[in-house]
Amino acid sequence: MKRFVLICSALLLMTTLGFAEAVPGKAAPPFTAKDINGKTHKLSDYKGKIVVLESYNQDCPFCHNHYQSGAMQELQHELTGKGVVWLLVNSLSPKYSSNRDAAAAKKEWAEQKIKATAWLDDSSGEIGKKYGMRTTPHMFVIDKSGILAYQGAIDGRPVPEGDPRTARNYVREAVQKLEAGEKVAVTQTKPYGCGVKYGT
């Protein structure tokens, strides 16, 4: 496990070089992408709604633990039930085995009982690089006016095992504050997980 964590850290370091970064308090970078069902999604389509972006890779043990425990699906269900738009962003290059084509993604969606709004194919890495997505998971919360309210870790428990429900969840907190018309207390944290494997 220690060796795996060291490898993830090295990959993370490589992915931090030369990237843009979405900055809390500023406009979230616009994007257009197709989901695994062929539907086109634009960030501008969701103005007036809170949007959550989740950098996703089920083969990463950190990401996998959130889904194996059911914690991620529960949070997705909770927030989308309140009208939040939750978009999975898979930025892995097709040259890596962890990339999922549409058929594999649809199968995984069903098997994992994912409750997000849509799974975006970002195999080009365009969205990931615009936002500076470094890990899986790496989370972003965008307010109703299109301003980035939070970016970073999903919670304060950077380990790939155990129950994530016991941790302070920064995404839930940010959404709750926005829904209440209050200022988000924590706007940025350090993301944890496996480095996103971009093509270039």
Side-chain angles (χ1 to χ4, degrees):
M1 179 60 72
K2 287 183 179 179
R3 182 172 180 272
F4 182 83
V5 171
L6 286 172
I7 291 171
C8 280
S9 297
L11 287 169
L12 175 58
L13 178 62
M14 288 189 289
T15 61
T16 59
L17 303 176
F19 277 22
E21 182 174 289
V23 179
K26 296 189 178 296
F31 62 80
T32 300
K34 286 189 176 182
D35 67 21
I36 57 176
N37 295 306
K39 179 181 176 181
T40 298
H41 297 257
K42 296 180 181 180
L43 180 60
S44 58
D45 292 340
Y46 299 116
K47 193 164 186 180
K49 293 188 176 185
I50 296 170
V51 177
V52 172
L53 302 181
E54 173 196 345
S55 181
Y56 174 87
N57 174 13
Q58 189 62 211
D59 289 347
C60 170
F62 292 89
C63 189
H64 180 72
N65 184 60
H66 278 276
Y67 280 88
Q68 185 179 44
S69 67
M72 190 70 86
Q73 299 94 318
E74 288 174 14
L75 183 61
Q76 291 167 347
H77 181 69
E78 173 190 334
L79 299 189
T80 57
K82 296 177 180 180
V84 172
V85 175
W86 187 304
L87 302 173
L88 264 63
V89 181
N90 182 358
S91 301
L92 288 120
S93 168
K95 71 180 183 180
Y96 294 105
S97 61
S98 291
N99 176 267
R100 305 289 195 261
D101 62 17
K106 289 176 185 178
K107 181 180 179 183
E108 188 165 293
W109 178 283
E111 290 175 345
Q112 296 297 326
K113 299 179 180 178
I114 295 172
K115 304 298 182 183
T117 306
W119 173 330
L120 302 185
D121 175 11
D122 186 44
S123 54
S124 68
E126 182 179 350
I127 299 173
K129 290 176 182 178
K130 275 186 176 181
Y131 278 79
M133 292 179 176
R134 292 173 170 79
T135 63
T136 50
H138 188 169
M139 309 297 298
F140 301 80
V141 179
I142 302 165
D143 73 14
K144 293 180 180 181
S145 62
I147 301 299
L148 186 68
Y150 172 78
Q151 76 105 336
I154 186 169
D155 58 30
R157 190 176 178 278
V159 293
E161 54 195 12
D163 190 352
R165 297 175 187 83
T166 63
R168 177 182 181 181
N169 193 289
Y170 299 117
V171 173
R172 178 183 281 114
E173 279 187 18
V175 171
Q176 288 175 340
K177 289 289 187 180
L178 292 175
E179 288 178 325
E182 299 174 2
K183 185 177 180 180
V184 175
V186 179
T187 61
Q188 186 163 345
T189 60
K190 183 179 180 179
Y192 68 83
C194 305
V196 179
K197 300 177 180 68
Y198 294 100
T200 55

